[in-house]
Amino acid sequence: MIKTIVLLVTLLQSAMLHAADYVPQDYTWTSQSKNSSESMPCGGHDIGMNVWVENGDLLWYVSQSGWFDANNTLLKAGRWRLHIDGDPFGGSDFRQTLHLDGGYMEIAGSGLRVTLWTDVYAPCIYLDIQSQKRRSATLSYESWRYQDRPLTKAECQQSSWKWLVPKDCITQADRFESAPHRLTVTHQNPQETIFDFTVAYEHIEALKDSLYNPIGGRRMSVVTHSDNFTFDSVTEGRYASTDYRAWNYANNGLKHATVSIVLDNGESAATVPPGSAALSKKRSRQWWHQYWQRSWIRPDGNHPEVAHIARNYDLFRYMLGCNAYGQWPSKFNGGLFTFDPVYVDAPAADGTPTNPFTPDYRKWGGGTMTAQNQRLVYWPMLKSGDLDMMPAQLDTYLRMLPTAVARTRHYWGHGGASFGEQIENFGLPNPAEYGKHAEGTDYGLERNAWLEYEWDTVLEFCMMALEAQRYQPAATTVPAKSPIPPVDFNRYRPIAEESLRFFDEHYQYIAKKMGSKALTDSGQLVIYPGSGCETYKMAYNPSSTVAALRTVAAALGDTPLPLSRLPDIPLRAIGGDTCIAPAVAWSRIQNVETPQLYPVFPWRVYGLGRPHLDIARNTYLKDPHALAMRSSKGWKQDNIWAACLGLTDEARRLCVEKFADGPYRFPVFWEPGFDWAPDLNRGGSAMIGLQEMLLQETPDGELLLFPAWPKDWDVTFRLHASKGRVVEGTIREGVVTSTIIP
């Protein structure tokens, strides 16, 4: 019998390795768009484009991660327009297709074909134009930053100023250099930026010269080049609610043309030189094909809900792949795919636009990271096998670590690293959220009703790195068609060590300041004042923080904060049933998060295959706060908890809601939710919940297949697990089959 089983597993593994490649379905429009809200994403490396055809013209915005200006706004590189005489895109044969398998876009009509893609290995965009007959064409670069633009108070939400608007706040103009076949656009930050203001405002000037500063003097540029187009004129116009100036390049007899757009965000981001368009096309399409072989979820029947969910899962994962090798993470509030803000929200009753700002606008800032939202974009990359995309997020914390250690020592005189919740890309709290401090008060604390004492969000990113190390595959276990470049996740261990050290030393410091004992009689740390997310404030031993500290400390092993010094996760009785408590005690409820379920996810203290599953289910089903706050909106993660607790009907309902099409034309351009459009933290939480419905693990590594999956949803998947395992599973008419490598 044992030999038979071994032979069967070997054959199944062989079948998996030689199975047909997964090819995601192309996504096509057969009619033009009304405006940029009806754009389609395209990109790669660290670049995202919004592409659409409007009134016969092909338009596209370009964003690159890291384009931070002096106000810490994440600027767009610009907008391009291709106008071709004769309206070739106006006929019934019009097609705009996103080819997911190759990662490129094709726009065709009336004997004209335009192909647009980004080189995965270099920050370079290529445009290839093929026409069956000669045509007159104009390629234009359109800029709203042709002049200094004053920022209103409302508009400053796009920056780190928020409501602390300085006098004469502006977005500085770009510099333009036109040549016969080339246009160079440069944005140069001054040396003095919002970084300098923040340092002074937060009373940390003594350390200024040693603090990390990614925006002072930063220089970003974009070069558009084509031997097929010649500079023609400069014109002015208006799009949406913004005036612009256009640099126009003409070709009066075009049959074939190639255009390159090379971006530089101020940091050397290319892993290889751009090379020729032909080379770029070949290697980029190959990368995208391999990307889809890493993991997939596909319907194995005709159930419309499964097909819809799987399609939107692929479309959103494509958007994440467009920033695979960025040095900065995909922002939860729109990522690289924001469009004209005037189209995000409906206008007022009198027709006044809600957001009459430039295309650079987004709420919640460009260089500011709201960690509670940001984490959801990166957790699903473990099971999808996209470990090489995670350093964009984790390196951000690594760059901020010296500042987090220095500010801790400066404010409180003890060790460890303190990371705030709304934190700038240079490692200090957002100045507007930092609040007002009376002379001589604790300058290290954020005087903010939502953010005070919330220091634990960094621990999720610590755990991501620790989990990624467990998921790291050996070269022999990865299917040959889907190589995953190795990443040294041990580099991030100091973030976890210093974060744990902070909690240990800081809460002993607070106790002494308050005149109380640093530790309880049993030698346990008292976490007070604490914060259960942004919701349960002035909390005593909040369950989300306790679970985080215990889980990270256990995973690290040898840590500055031993498990024996940590309190237990607090419990309480509701209607005679034991539930997880938000905290031992708290003074007020400020937001609508449910930290009492964080011990389920992300911390996995409770759940399927773990002790006291009933306690966690009681919390989900009976806690009045959890019930009142239940939603599938935005960053809400009830779908994840339902899946982790094996509540199949709940998981199904919330999964369908999460993956429902957004209000804009592209299905996964979701509405702002609590943040901005397209809402990436909704997409990330949707992905996590779907993955958990398909595959979970017990603490000892036992795999649970389809733990919260409806029996009538036929599906096949490939996902990743710890110990470098690759798992394929199929459920068809309620019957499960699976293979595991190794």
Side-chain angles (χ1 to χ4, degrees), residues 434-492:
Y434 174 75
K436 296 180 180 180
H437 292 62
E439 186 69 30
T441 56
D442 185 350
Y443 293 134
L445 180 67
E446 290 180 80
R447 297 289 178 187
N448 180 298
W450 287 264
L451 304 180
E452 61 183 4
Y453 302 107
E454 188 174 11
W455 292 306
D456 62 1
T457 51
V458 63
L459 295 171
E460 287 203 45
F461 299 96
C462 298
M463 198 64 202
M464 267 182 218
L466 293 167
E467 284 290 276
Q469 188 64 39
R470 292 200 315 125
Y471 273 66
Q472 188 85 274
T476 56
T477 67
V478 181
K481 296 173 182 176
S482 55
I484 302 173
V487 179
D488 180 13
F489 288 99
N490 285 316
R491 296 172 54 230
Y492 308 110

Side-chain angles (χ1 to χ4, degrees), residues 43-212:
H45 189 264
D46 63 348
I47 292 170
M49 293 181 281
N50 296 68
V51 186
W52 74 105
V53 176
E54 178 182 347
N55 295 326
D57 289 349
L58 172 63
L59 297 101
W60 65 99
Y61 281 116
V62 173
S63 298
Q64 182 185 26
S65 68
W67 273 59
F68 305 120
D69 77 347
N71 303 312
N72 224 4
T73 298
L74 181 56
L75 303 177
K76 286 193 178 296
R79 180 176 61 234
W80 282 256
R81 182 189 299 263
L82 179 64
H83 172 81
I84 298 179
D85 290 351
D87 192 19
F89 299 135
S92 60
D93 60 346
F94 170 79
R95 294 288 186 277
Q96 178 177 346
T97 301
L98 176 60
H99 295 274
L100 291 174
D101 187 55
Y104 65 98
M105 189 171 294
E106 205 167 53
I107 303 95
S110 301
L112 180 72
R113 187 175 303 275
V114 180
T115 308
L116 190 64
W117 75 94
T118 299
D119 194 316
V120 171
Y121 298 95
C124 184
I125 298 166
Y126 289 98
L127 179 76
D128 185 78
I129 308 168
Q130 302 273 357
S131 176
Q132 292 178 358
K133 63 180 182 180
R134 296 196 177 277
R135 305 172 188 261
S136 294
T138 302
L139 176 68
S140 303
Y141 172 84
E142 300 176 348
S143 173
W144 50 97
R145 295 195 303 271
Y146 66 89
Q147 61 181 349
D148 289 350
R149 300 197 78 97
L151 293 176
T152 65
K153 184 175 182 178
E155 196 171 5
C156 270
Q157 284 285 336
Q158 72 185 33
S159 73
S160 295
W161 292 108
K162 294 190 177 179
W163 51 86
L164 292 178
V165 186
K167 185 179 179 181
D168 301 326
C169 186
I170 62 168
T171 298
Q172 291 181 304
D174 295 342
R175 186 173 73 248
F176 305 87
E177 301 174 44
S178 58
H181 302 289
R182 179 187 303 266
L183 177 68
T184 302
V185 182
T186 305
H187 190 93
Q188 175 72 56
N189 288 352
Q191 287 299 323
E192 185 168 336
T193 67
I194 194 170
F195 167 84
D196 302 87
F197 170 85
T198 304
V199 168
Y201 192 67
E202 299 182 6
H203 304 272
I204 198 169
E205 286 179 295
L207 303 180
K208 181 177 178 180
D209 291 343
S210 65
L211 299 179
Y212 174 57

